[in-house]
Amino acid sequence: MTPSPAHPLNGSCLCGGVRFEVTAPLLRASHCHCSRCRKHSGTFGLTQCRVPAEGFRLLRGAELIRIYRPAEGAAVKAFCSVCGSSLFGGAWPDGPEVSIRLGAFDGEPDLAPQFHTYVGSKASWDVLPEDGLTRYDTTVG
């Protein structure tokens, strides 16, 4: 179901201390294979989606969210300080879009990943699936 004010898509961290809702359609979703996402997740990278900031609302747990800013202009990594769940990225919390980890949703988002980014820096053990999705060596475009 497409998120809307009448039917929000809810999400949370592993411990439930951070809760949020999305009330706007998801804009795009992707798999990122960059070294920062790999370190942050402990796996191949991260799978995330973007939603307009006006379609996102933090319901509780703002005080639990910690932000790692790796470098000037680089995407941030926002996570729960209690359970460590990776939650948000991009320009969190001030950008025009919110980057949300797909695994943070309590329900099923209506948009599957559409492309892979930073495949040029993927780990040697990261075997990309033959999923037909476009692959970008760095970012989109």
Side-chain angles (χ1 to χ4, degrees), residues 107-140:
E108 292 295 322
D110 65 338
L111 184 65
Q114 301 154 306
F115 53 91
H116 294 267
T117 58
Y118 291 96
V119 297
S121 65
K122 72 176 186 61
S124 60
W125 46 262
D126 182 5
V127 179
L128 293 173
E130 293 299 328
D131 55 13
L133 301 180
T134 303
R135 300 172 182 187
Y136 297 95
D137 279 342
T138 58
T139 191
V140 176

Side-chain angles (χ1 to χ4, degrees), residues 13 15-19 58-67 78-83 87-88 92-93:
C13 64
C15 70
V18 177
R19 298 204 56 78
L58 190 60
L59 301 174
R60 75 171 190 220
E63 74 282 0
L64 301 178
I65 298 172
R66 298 295 180 268
I67 300 169
F79 57 95
C80 175
S81 62
V82 175
C83 65
L87 299 168
F88 314 115
W92 173 266

